[in-house]
Amino acid sequence: MCRSIKTLRPPALPEEATEDEIRAAALQYVRKVSGFRAPAAHNREVFERAVDDIARATAALLDDLEVRGHPRPAQAS
């Protein structure tokens, strides 16, 4: 695991993770998996698309997790 990716769910994080925190974790994951800190110009689009996809998947995971002792945030209707 990439050591710079922090846990984004309670109780490790006292409140709901922000979009910035989720995106930062996604970026660190893509950097680790790809082996590139920053992509070359010809890989920039696929790199950014991967970060976006992983950030969306992470947000969905965090929204759907049930953590004992911590109420789920109310969903916007």
Side-chain angles (χ1 to χ4, degrees):
M1 171 132 177
C2 187
R3 295 181 195 271
S4 58
I5 297 175
K6 66 181 182 177
T7 301
L8 297 179
R9 66 158 180 83
L13 197 63
E15 64 256 351
E16 190 174 329
T18 66
E19 286 183 33
D20 287 342
E21 290 169 322
I22 291 170
R23 182 154 179 86
L27 176 60
Q28 290 294 37
Y29 177 82
V30 171
R31 285 175 172 169
K32 184 69 163 187
V33 170
S34 71
F36 296 112
R37 179 161 174 17
H42 62 278
N43 285 325
R44 187 166 291 120
E45 183 179 336
V46 70
F47 191 93
E48 287 299 320
R49 188 170 54 238
V51 173
D52 292 342
D53 290 346
I54 292 166
R56 275 192 298 278
T58 301
L61 170 67
L62 293 172
D63 286 345
D64 293 343
L65 281 176
E66 291 184 33
V67 181
R68 289 184 183 174
H70 294 276
R72 291 177 66 182
Q75 298 293 320
S77 298

